[in-house]
Amino acid sequence: MTVFGSFSFFFILAAFLIPTVILGLQGKSNKTYNMIMNLLFLIIIFSNVSNGNVNKTIYAAICLVIFTIWQMMIIKGYIAYRKRENKTSTFYIVVILSILPLVISKSMPFIDKHLSFIGFLGISYLTFKGVQIVMETRDGLIKEQLPLDRLIYFILYFPAVSSGPIDRYRRFDKDISTVPTSEQYQEMLYIGINRIFQGFLYKFIIGYLINNELLLKLNDISWISTFQREIIYMYGYSLYLFFDFAGYSAFAIGVSYIMGVRTPENFNKPFISRNIKDFWNRWHMTLSFWFRDYVYMRLVFWITKKKWIKDRIAISNIGYVVLFMLMGIWHVAGGAALQYIVYGLYHALIMVLYNYFEKWNKKHKKWPQKNKFVHVFSIFLTFNFICFGFYIFSGHLTNYWQSGNFLHS
């Protein structure tokens, strides 16, 4: 039973949320009950995620327990260490140790496909949360010893365990530490229910129709060429990916609001972006902002501090290349790598090109920002660049190229 993947999951979830709602409407704390419910749903999710394969379920559960203990030791240990010393080298070692389980999980299938069981559902997002706490401790934003129950609750928060959104600890902890009044909870409940219905519309109606009535039936259409079929697939897959993913995020946000947690938004009309930078401020925002804050900004600051390169545009471009290469590598799963690496390189390239264009346009002012025609054309152009990127991501471009069909299109 995957998270938000079936109607039976929602029926079970609705039953467990009844006490949460009753306590919330009475203006009482539901934190303790939600923590217990969170643990029960982790058990439900991991007992069904391997499609009845008992061995895989046991392996996944063991990996999850080991991972959680590992992250708790690292986080608690580093917070205690920071009170005594502040060595940069220790910080780097701690970050490496924190991401080590993810690296092992991603690399094992390339060594031996039979080792793909090393890992579990959502290991990436859980790792990002752990690394985030370590980095914010290093920055002095987190100074106190974090309560173990709240820390585990944050790391293993089940609505966001599979695909995010990626919350920040201080914001999450503030929500669970504050008991909303009955009136405040009524508003959160209203928002939560609306987001869940939006999720049903996006994922189970629009996304389902695009996938089942278009993408899966494309090969049955005989009167279009292979090239035309690939073009239709490119746009169809891009829309399907958005509605499926945004639907999942809406579910996670909706359930979180009902549980008293204002989980941040993950999508903000990404297909009306004016340029590639605007797109990454709208698409999978919590992941995009995580990479921006904890990878890109730190790398740019480090290069600037070392004074290795003086050109700010060059430093920025290096940051983008590293950022999108890491994002491409992060998507690698089950031994499949090529399309994700190419996807990362593609976005790095268009970010670098846009960076130079932006610099050139500031000087020559050939591309007016407030012109309506330019605005609409910018959206159209960006949309096509983005769809081609998702086409690469889907793996269809790789298959199309390797089949040699592009030579006869």
Side-chain angles (χ1 to χ4, degrees):
M1 187 183 298
T2 57
V3 188
F4 310 125
S6 65
F7 288 105
S8 58
F9 179 88
F10 283 96
F11 285 125
I12 297 171
L13 178 60
F16 275 96
L17 283 175
I18 291 173
T20 297
V21 173
I22 292 173
L23 290 169
L25 291 175
Q26 292 178 348
K28 298 180 180 179
S29 173
N30 52 27
K31 183 181 72 173
T32 302
Y33 173 78
N34 287 344
M35 286 183 173
I36 296 172
M37 183 180 71
N38 192 76
L39 177 60
L40 291 174
F41 265 88
L42 287 173
I43 295 172
I44 292 171
I45 292 166
F46 279 89
S47 64
N48 290 276
V49 75
S50 301
N51 296 320
N53 189 316
V54 177
N55 288 334
K56 286 187 177 180
T57 299
I58 293 172
Y59 288 140
I62 292 173
C63 288
L64 176 63
V65 172
I66 294 174
F67 171 87
T68 304
I69 295 172
W70 178 260
Q71 292 294 340
M72 295 306 106
M73 290 173 57
I74 289 172
I75 293 169
K76 300 287 280 188
Y78 186 63
I79 291 174
Y81 168 83
R82 279 276 298 172
K83 291 183 177 181
R84 301 191 307 272
E85 295 185 55
N86 183 22
K87 291 183 179 179
T88 303
S89 58
T90 304
F91 164 71
Y92 292 133
I93 293 172
V94 171
V95 170
I96 291 171
L97 290 174
S98 184
I99 65 173
L100 184 61
L102 176 61
V103 173
I104 293 173
S105 173
K106 291 287 187 180
S107 59
M108 282 300 101
F110 291 95
I111 299 172
D112 187 339
K113 291 184 178 180
H114 294 96
L115 297 176
S116 59
F117 66 84
I118 298 178
F120 54 87
L121 177 73
I123 186 173
S124 297
Y125 293 93
L126 273 56
T127 300
F128 293 152
K129 289 181 179 181
V131 173
Q132 170 209 137
I133 293 174
V134 169
M135 289 189 170
E136 291 194 347
T137 299
R138 167 71 158 72
D139 296 341
L141 299 174
I142 296 176
K143 300 177 181 179
E144 71 279 7
Q145 276 287 353
L146 308 181
L148 188 60
D149 59 340
R150 294 185 185 182
L151 187 56
I152 294 175
Y153 187 37
F154 169 70
I155 295 290
L156 300 181
Y157 187 58
F158 89 86
V161 72
S162 177
S163 300
I166 306 171
D167 211 341
R168 305 294 172 97
Y169 177 80
R170 289 176 296 144
R171 201 217 61 74
F172 180 88
D173 189 60
K174 183 180 178 181
D175 275 0
I176 66 172
S177 300
T178 304
V179 180
T181 64
S182 177
E183 291 75 18
Q184 290 172 333
Y185 185 77
Q186 287 179 36
E187 183 180 353
M188 294 181 71
L189 180 61
Y190 175 79
I191 294 172
I193 292 173
N194 272 275
R195 295 310 302 273
I196 290 173
F197 276 105
Q198 182 189 40
F200 277 112
L201 173 65
Y202 278 16
K203 184 176 178 65
F204 291 121
I205 298 178
I206 300 177
Y208 175 86
L209 289 173
I210 293 173
N211 186 48
N212 287 270
E213 299 301 322
L214 176 63
L215 300 182
L216 296 180
K217 294 183 178 180
L218 267 178
N219 290 330
D220 298 332
I221 304 175
S222 59
W223 48 269
I224 59 175
S225 67
T226 303
F227 177 74
Q228 291 171 327
R229 188 177 290 112
E230 293 299 313
I231 293 295
I232 295 171
Y233 182 89
M234 180 179 78
Y235 291 112
Y237 178 78
S238 298
L239 293 173
Y240 164 73
L241 192 64
F242 166 72
F243 284 110
D244 185 74
F245 199 176
Y248 174 92
S249 294
F251 286 141
I253 293 168
V255 172
S256 293
Y257 266 76
I258 295 174
M259 293 174 67
V261 177
R262 296 176 176 85
T263 293
E265 292 294 333
N266 220 14
F267 293 90
N268 180 25
K269 302 175 183 177
F271 290 141
I272 63 167
S273 303
R274 302 184 311 276
N275 53 64
I276 189 61
K277 289 184 179 179
D278 188 28
F279 172 79
W280 282 109
N281 286 327
R282 295 170 177 268
W283 176 272
H284 203 350
M285 295 186 292
T286 58
L287 177 67
S288 178
F289 295 163
W290 191 95
F291 272 101
R292 180 197 66 189
D293 295 344
Y294 300 113
V295 177
Y296 175 81
M297 295 300 296
R298 291 170 187 271
L299 178 62
V300 167
F301 176 77
W302 183 67
I303 295 175
T304 303
K305 184 180 179 181
K306 294 293 183 179
K307 297 181 180 180
W308 290 342
I309 303 173
K310 294 182 179 180
D311 187 343
R312 291 185 178 182
I313 297 294
I315 295 174
S316 178
N317 288 337
I318 291 171
Y320 286 134
V321 171
V322 173
L323 172 67
F324 284 103
M325 278 302 298
L326 284 175
M327 289 184 71
I329 293 170
W330 168 67
H331 278 100
V332 171
L338 181 58
Q339 71 242 40
Y340 303 122
I341 302 300
V342 175
Y343 175 77
L345 287 170
Y346 171 77
H347 272 280
L349 175 63
I350 56 178
M351 284 292 277
V352 168
L353 292 176
Y354 181 75
N355 226 13
Y356 281 118
F357 167 77
E358 198 173 34
K359 179 183 178 182
W360 174 85
N361 195 50
K362 283 181 180 179
K363 181 179 180 180
H364 299 283
K365 301 185 186 319
K366 298 290 186 179
W367 194 265
Q369 298 296 315
K370 296 183 179 180
N371 182 283
K372 288 185 178 180
F373 172 79
V374 171
H375 181 83
V376 172
F377 182 72
S378 298
I379 292 174
F380 171 78
L381 194 63
T382 303
F383 175 72
N384 282 277
F385 272 107
I386 295 306
C387 287
F388 186 72
F390 287 141
Y391 180 55
I392 296 172
F393 182 84
S394 72
H396 261 241
L397 177 62
T398 305
N399 296 334
Y400 185 50
W401 183 275
Q402 291 175 343
S403 69
N405 286 329
F406 68 99
L407 296 172
H408 309 291
S409 298

